[in-house]
Amino acid sequence: MAEEEEKTESVQVHNWAELTQLCLVNILSYLSIEDRWRGAMFVCKSWLQACKDPNLNSVIDLEAQFIESVAESSLSSTRYWNREFESKIDSMVRSVVIWSDGSLNFVRVRHCSDRSIALIAERSPNLQVLSIQRCPHVTDETMSKIASGCPLLRELDISFCYQISHKSLALIGQHCPNLRILRRNLMTQVNPSQQEPFVPREYVSTCPQDGDSEAAAIGKFMPQLVQLELQFSKLTNKGLALISEGCINLEHLDLFGCTNVTSRDIANASSNLKQLKTLKKPHLCLESQTERYGHWQLYDDRFQTDFFRI
C-alpha cells in the first residue's frame, strides 16, 4: 500500500514537470515577477523555458518591490546606489527585453543604466510606458535612442535622473507624439532634512539647474501632455509661461517645491490651462534653526518676490 502511494505521488510530480508550454505559461501568469524570478525559474528546465515566454515578458514592473524594500530596511537604500546592484538590475532588464521578443510595452524600474536602456530602445518598438527613476547612469545619448526607437511612448518618468537634460526632452517630444504623461521630479536642495537618506551627496549636488531650458523643451515639443510633474524644478516664471502656452491640454500639474515661481506666476499660467483639474502648488516649508516660517503661500505674500523683478 505504501509503495502504491509513493508511486502515485511520484507520477503527480512528474506530470507537473511535463505540463505543456501553454499550460505552464497560463499558470505562471498568475505569479508576480518576483515569484517567477525567485521560485518558478528554479523548479525545472521546462519551467525555466516557460518563464522566458514572450507572453510573460511584455511587462517588467519592479516599483512595488523597491518601495516595499526601502520601507522595510534603510540598508536596502544604501546598496541601491552602487554599481554592483545597478549591474544586477541591468541584467534582469536585458533578459526580459530579449525574452519579450519585441512585445515589451511597460517598464517600471529603478537604478538601471545605459546598458539596459539602450537594449530597450533597440528591441522594444512597442514600448508605451518607461519609468526609470533614480538612474544616475542613464544619459542623453541613450535617451536619444529611446526617442527614435520607441515612437509609441505615452508615459515617461525620468525623475532623479541627473544626466538626462533638456536635449532628451526635446527629442522625446519630437519623436513620440503620443506622449501624455511626463514626470521629471528632482530631489529637494532647499531642506536637507527632506532629502532621501543614503543618496550620495555628490549626486545630489549635480541636480539640474536649467529648469527653464527643460520647460522650454516641454512647452515646444510636448503639446499633447495631460499630466506633468516637475517637483523641485528650478524653472522660473519664464519657463512656466512657456509650458502654459504650449501644453494647453494639461489636466494635472505638479509644481511642489518649485520655489522660483510665485502665486501670481501660477495664476497667470493657469489662465491658459482651461482643462486643468488638479494643481499642486509649491507649498514648501522653510526651516531654520530657530523657527519655521509658514507654507509657500505665506512666504510668497509676505516677501513679495515679484517686487524684485526688473
Side-chain angles (χ1 to χ4, degrees), residues 146-215:
I146 287 289
S148 58
C150 306
L152 301 181
L153 201 65
R154 60 179 176 82
E155 179 178 336
L156 176 64
D157 188 344
I158 49 173
S159 298
F160 322 116
C161 296
Y162 290 173
Q163 289 199 57
I164 298 176
S165 73
H166 64 280
K167 297 178 182 177
S168 291
L169 293 174
L171 288 174
I172 291 289
Q174 292 176 68
H175 292 88
C176 304
N178 297 324
L179 193 69
R180 297 292 184 273
I181 300 174
L182 174 65
R183 297 184 177 91
R184 174 52 166 172
N185 300 313
L186 306 177
M187 296 177 189
T188 176
Q189 291 185 301
V190 176
N191 187 349
S193 67
Q194 294 180 345
Q195 292 174 354
E196 295 185 29
F198 305 110
V199 178
R201 294 299 95 191
E202 62 273 17
Y203 184 64
V204 175
S205 65
T206 63
C207 179
Q209 304 294 316
D210 55 347
D212 282 344
S213 296
E214 295 191 356

Side-chain angles (χ1 to χ4, degrees), residues 17 27 55 114 151 188 232 270 289-290:
I27 292 170
N55 291 308
D114 279 348
T188 176
F232 294 102
S270 299
Q289 294 180 346
T290 57

Side-chain angles (χ1 to χ4, degrees), residues 65-70 73 75-83 85-86 89 110-112 134 136:
Q65 283 76 21
F66 274 112
I67 293 174
E68 181 180 354
S69 179
V70 171
S73 173
L75 293 178
S76 298
S77 298
T78 306
R79 68 186 180 91
Y80 287 165
W81 292 91
N82 65 49
R83 282 286 199 171
F85 182 80
E86 182 181 85
I89 296 296
R110 300 183 184 185
H111 300 286
C112 58
R134 299 166 175 81

